[in-house]
Amino acid sequence: MSAHCQLTGAQPGFGNNISHSHRRTSRRFDPNVQRKRYWLPSEGRYVRLRLSAKAIKTVDTIGVEAAVARIRARGVEV
């Protein structure tokens, strides 16, 4: 399961772990992505979205209809 948000497009960032001796090894900063199910009244069905924690708050603010419209505008199938 990829760490990618359907609404905001948030994806992993990359960097380094730095040890006490200052050796560097690769690491990955994953966004806090959750699977969330919303009722979509216009289509009379539930949609299951992969959203970051920030995007879940955005859906609470703008509504699920507007959020799905934004997701579809990005070219993601819902």
Side-chain angles (χ1 to χ4, degrees):
M1 152 158 63
S2 69
H4 187 270
C5 176
Q6 291 179 312
L7 181 61
T8 63
Q11 54 192 0
F14 296 90
N16 291 308
N17 282 323
I18 302 180
S19 70
H20 181 70
S21 64
H22 216 65
R23 287 179 60 95
R24 294 160 190 249
T25 55
S26 292
R27 65 158 295 173
R28 193 171 131 134
F29 296 91
D30 285 330
N32 184 8
V33 175
Q34 313 291 324
R35 274 183 83 105
K36 188 117 168 91
R37 194 174 83 142
Y38 290 99
W39 174 251
L40 195 58
S42 64
E43 297 181 17
R45 69 183 182 106
Y46 284 98
V47 291
R48 193 176 298 271
L49 303 174
R50 293 184 45 76
L51 302 172
S52 63
K54 180 180 178 181
I56 291 171
K57 294 172 191 172
T58 302
V59 171
D60 291 343
T61 303
I62 67 173
V64 68
E65 296 286 347
V68 168
R70 284 188 192 181
I71 291 169
R72 287 181 173 150
R74 293 184 72 237
V76 179
E77 185 178 334
V78 177

